[in-house]
Amino acid sequence: MQQFIEMRTQKMALNKQSIRDLNEKSVLRQIFVEGPISRIQISRNLKLNKSTVSAIFNDLSDRQLVMEMGQGQSTQVGGRKPVMIKVNQKYGYTLNFDIGFRHLDMMANYLDGTAFQYTRFETAGYNINQVLDLIIESVNNFKNPDTVNGLLGISVAVHGIVYQNQVTYSPFIDMEDVSIYERLTATFTVPIVVDNEANLVAVFQRDFSHDEEHNMNNIVVISIHKGIGAGIIINHQIYRGEKGEAGEIGRAIYPTVFAEPGRVEKIENYASQDAIIDLIKNEKKLDELDFDDVAQMYSDGDKVVVKAIDDFRDYITMIVYNAAVSYNPDTIYLSSNLIETIDQLLPMINNQYNLLPENGNTDIRMLRGAKYASLLGGCSSVTHLALKMSGQQLKFNFDLNAAGIIE
């Protein structure tokens, strides 16, 4: 009997602690999403009593996760002005990387997502081991910017298929059977996230956007760079498929001759940014060409460029339509430096899309800050992991000014 009473007491204690942990996560989520916010407002939003919220706040404050930031507005009936609280960005920082075809991008972010440093390393000709050496060297040499806990986690965006932090397919960089995740976890003691670039871009749009007009619970972000991939958010969560291969829409077949299946090619061979740039370079016999050059030649009415951009518009419209009818999202966002550079392109894609039958009236919008989206998405993913809040809705601060980036 005594053993039964002890077991029951232990179970009640565990249940009490579990409820306390859930309440703490709920309070912290409120501060991330709604902050600056008062304790009384948190109490109302969560339907928790004020003493519970105050006790949780005191604990979070003691750990320097949150901080007070002055007084808010008093209510219409007067009374004491509430003390507002917010996330303490100096609790710690994350380092976030994107392994590109010819470069490695690195961004440092505080806990609230604010970027405070951005660096691009040229890595043309590097193998994966050299890229990893550069990542490790960059982390080791990075100086703690006066934060409470220092480095909280590291994220790495990869342009390929990633399943459970392991790269299973990499079309542009030979992984040489090297595990990025295992190499980094063997070197550092902080949480590590390795994920598909398009997935992280979708996480960025979900967690950094403060667009009140659009629901971020069901969206598709189509990332158009050297290849084409889609990050799919369903019910606020990344949809990965059975082995992490969901969203590989650039690998959809594009039969040049239907009667000859052997001549089937991937759509990204025609519709990616690099495919368009290479086409124009070849037609114009140019050694170098960037997006600004393309935009200028398009504006000047260059026939080769106009034809290439019109074809690009048609390809992307087809991809968008197929994504819309497949996933029925609230909004499709396009992440593309080329579309962002040529102002006319997004309206042209929308016009083409609206001509197609049964398009479902899905809203098509430009994803702003495409160049940095995978880094910021990585920041969100690894911060969720570091705080043990995976699956929770958090909102981060989209501020790049401190990193010397003007958007």
Side-chain angles (χ1 to χ4, degrees), residues 374-389:
S374 61
L375 299 168
L376 292 164
C379 162
S380 170
S381 290
V382 79
T383 300
H384 274 83
L385 189 60
L387 294 176
K388 298 179 180 178
M389 294 186 70

Side-chain angles (χ1 to χ4, degrees), residues 199-328:
N199 284 344
L200 293 178
V201 172
V203 170
F204 156 75
Q205 181 61 32
R206 182 193 68 188
D207 294 346
F208 279 82
S209 171
H210 291 269
D211 182 356
E212 301 297 333
E213 297 179 5
H214 292 83
N215 184 344
M216 295 298 155
N217 286 330
N218 293 283
I219 62 173
V220 173
V221 177
I222 298 176
S223 186
I224 307 159
H225 301 291
K226 187 174 180 62
I228 302 175
I232 304 161
I233 303 285
I234 297 177
N235 296 330
H236 201 73
Q237 303 299 318
I238 285 285
Y239 176 67
R240 300 180 183 277
E242 182 65 22
K243 296 291 183 180
E245 297 188 26
E248 287 296 305
I249 58 178
R251 296 167 62 194
I253 60 171
Y254 182 75
T256 52
V257 180
F258 281 95
E260 299 181 37
R263 293 181 62 180
V264 163
E265 295 191 55
K266 296 182 291 186
I267 186 64
E268 66 188 11
N269 291 349
Y270 298 90
S272 69
Q273 288 183 161
D274 280 31
I276 298 300
I277 293 289
D278 288 344
L279 173 66
I280 296 172
K281 282 168 64 176
N282 291 335
E283 290 282 335
K284 303 286 293 182
K285 296 181 170 54
L286 300 172
D287 293 327
E288 298 294 333
L289 186 68
D290 61 24
F291 299 124
D292 290 330
D293 296 331
V294 174
Q296 186 59 56
M297 286 191 285
Y298 184 78
S299 179
D300 293 341
D302 184 286
K303 291 183 179 180
V304 170
V305 175
V306 169
K307 174 66 165 59
I309 294 302
D310 285 350
D311 288 345
F312 178 71
R313 171 204 62 199
D314 293 344
Y315 290 134
I316 299 304
T317 302
M318 178 175 63
I319 290 169
V320 166
Y321 179 83
N322 289 338
V325 298
S326 296
Y327 303 110
N328 188 30

Side-chain angles (χ1 to χ4, degrees), residues 121-161:
F121 304 95
E122 296 302 324
T123 57
Y126 280 38
N127 62 40
I128 187 60
N129 282 299
Q130 291 171 312
V131 171
L132 275 171
D133 288 342
L134 181 55
I135 290 175
I136 291 168
E137 180 185 358
S138 299
V139 175
N140 285 331
N141 291 340
F142 197 86
K143 294 181 179 179
N144 180 7
D146 190 29
T147 60
V148 177
N149 290 293
L151 182 63
L152 299 176
I154 300 166
S155 74
V156 180
V158 177
H159 297 250
I161 298 172

